[in-house]
Amino acid sequence: MSVTALLEGPGAEVLAAACAEYRPGNELQLVEKLRRRYDAPLVTTAVTQAALRHRAVAKFGPDAERMYFTPDGLEQATRTTVSTHRAARLAATLPGARVVDLGCGIGGDLISAARAGLHVTGVERDPETAATARANLSALGLSGEVLVGEAESTDLTPYDVVFADPARRADGRRVFDHNAYSPPWSFVTQLLQRTACVKVAPGIPHDAIPEGVEAEWISDSGEVKEAALWSGQLSPGTSRRATLLPGGASVTDAPEADSGPVGKYIYEPDGAVVRAGLVTAVAAAVDGWLLDPRIAYVTASTYVPTALASAYEVLEELPYKEKALRSWVRTQGIGTLEIKKRGVDLDPAQLRKKLAPKGSASATLVITRIGRDAVAYSCRRVTTSFPVA
Ligand SMILES: C[S@@+](CC[C@H](N)C(=O)[O-])C[C@H]1O[C@@H](n2cnc3c(N)ncnc32)[C@H](O)[C@@H]1O
């Protein structure tokens, strides 16, 4: 049964009842209870929707309580923090623009664009998903239209900006190769010849990004979420950018940086900075240098707070040998051990298990490679690049 059955009348009533009483794990009892008053298919649809709303809070915050979802649509939707940032950037360059979202899903991006004062039209090939997006605009009191259709056959002339967030799933599985996107990459690159913004996976190879297009890697609370490609009037002339949410710090330049021996601090650049290839911007920000020219760790002799990286104070260099590390953990009474690594082939969880942490002290072990040698540093975490809750 479609979500549209839940929009009014008994459907809306049973959905409100399901949402009020839904708790993870109580689906069966809830269905049984509501079936005494409502039709079985309606109850199943409402309880499924209540469960999706509950799950959607992580992406949509308080809006989730009023929104409608399909399982796939929720899975693929952009989280509000990221879509809000993108919509604000778009609206700052082209206030009030007419935006068409090709493959709008359940409307995650559409909602933020409408809220940013843009005139939105969504195009979605799946009718149920399109109906969900339409219901979401209406539930949140936003104007805009959603059409059922194919991205490739949409007439783009009425719009100032094209937005696309191609599906990166096939047969229920995530696809990592941009050549497997839908609508396809060949169509995406055509869009990027006009004024457009396209959301892509953060693993997009740099050499796949067309000339003159800015790629912006975005992280949220330290986790890289996606990249967005900006073209035409939306491309500011820079080629790469890293933006770190929720603070919004942004960096675009990669100055030259030296490499040299470890200083008093090690800085671990945020993943968006690393993906964007802008690690040397961290070196510039903290008056530091790279530990190794090919590895994304920066070191410096002083502590300089920066939103671009987490900082660790270096306490001691340790041999990268299991026996020596185990003895270090034991003699220091380390019970909480954070392991950071770059450029070395190891599984931090497995190593932690082997080192058997026990005790009340906590420490961070930074393991990396300098030239051909693996090295380990015992450290104390000073700051994270994002506020920890
Ligand atoms: C990643 S989702 C979009 C998510 C959306 N940005 C959000 O935040 O909710 C991609 C959507 O594009 C739709 N789609 C894929 N290929 C399409 C095409 N050729 N034409 C129209 N829609 C398409 C899929 O059905 C899917 O709902």
Side-chain angles (χ1 to χ4, degrees), residues 136-267:
N136 283 333
L137 285 177
S138 158
L140 298 172
L142 298 165
S143 54
E145 58 175 352
V146 178
L147 314 171
V148 176
E150 289 293 313
E152 295 89 327
S153 51
T154 303
D155 174 14
L156 302 178
T157 43
Y159 307 106
D160 307 306
V161 180
V162 180
F163 175 78
D165 171 10
R168 291 181 259 148
R169 295 193 153 260
D171 304 326
R173 293 217 178 147
R174 205 179 275 208
V175 297
F176 292 99
D177 182 359
H178 59 285
N179 292 306
Y181 285 180
S182 175
W185 187 247
S186 54
F187 177 69
V188 166
T189 50
Q190 272 175 41
L191 296 180
L192 291 171
Q193 287 169 17
R194 39 197 314 144
T195 294
C197 175
V198 178
K199 171 179 157 183
V200 292
I204 182 96
H206 284 216
D207 60 10
I209 300 160
E211 193 79 14
V213 169
E214 187 201 88
E216 178 186 28
W217 278 265
I218 300 177
S219 65
D220 190 11
S221 298
E223 240 183 76
V224 185
K225 293 295 177 194
E226 58 168 73
L229 307 180
W230 301 86
S231 63
Q233 291 178 70
L234 294 168
S235 172
T238 43
S239 60
R240 288 169 287 161
R241 177 186 301 270
T243 298
L244 283 59
L245 302 176
S250 188
V251 62
T252 54
D253 293 327
E256 293 284 310
D258 293 333
S259 52
V262 71
K264 197 164 176 333
Y265 294 89
I266 289 176
Y267 293 83

Side-chain angles (χ1 to χ4, degrees), residues 60 72-79 83 86 101-110 123-126 129-130 133 147-154 163-169 181-184 187 199:
F60 289 95
D72 262 8
L74 172 57
E75 188 71 36
Q76 298 188 64
T78 307
R79 58 187 49 242
S83 63
R86 202 185 359 257
D101 180 345
L102 299 177
C104 68
I106 55 110
D109 283 287
L110 211 58
V123 176
E124 169 59 51
R125 68 152 52 136
D126 177 57
T129 308
L147 314 171
V148 176
E150 289 293 313
E152 295 89 327
S153 51
T154 303
F163 175 78
D165 171 10
R168 291 181 259 148
R169 295 193 153 260
Y181 285 180
S182 175
F187 177 69
K199 171 179 157 183

Side-chain angles (χ1 to χ4, degrees), residues 12 39 128 151 208 238 296 303 346 364 385:
D39 286 348
E128 174 66 10
T238 43
Y303 169 59
L346 74 88
T364 301
S385 61

Side-chain angles (χ1 to χ4, degrees), residues 61-140:
D63 280 346
E65 279 174 32
R66 289 188 286 158
M67 290 175 67
Y68 299 88
F69 302 97
T70 61
D72 262 8
L74 172 57
E75 188 71 36
Q76 298 188 64
T78 307
R79 58 187 49 242
T80 304
T81 43
V82 178
S83 63
T84 303
H85 158 74
R86 202 185 359 257
R89 179 174 167 179
L90 210 161
T93 314
L94 297 171
R98 292 160 300 171
V99 180
V100 63
D101 180 345
L102 299 177
C104 68
I106 55 110
D109 283 287
L110 211 58
I111 289 166
S112 293
R115 280 204 174 126
L118 301 160
H119 296 279
V120 300
T121 300
V123 176
E124 169 59 51
R125 68 152 52 136
D126 177 57
E128 174 66 10
T129 308
T132 310
R134 214 174 283 129
N136 283 333
L137 285 177
S138 158
L140 298 172

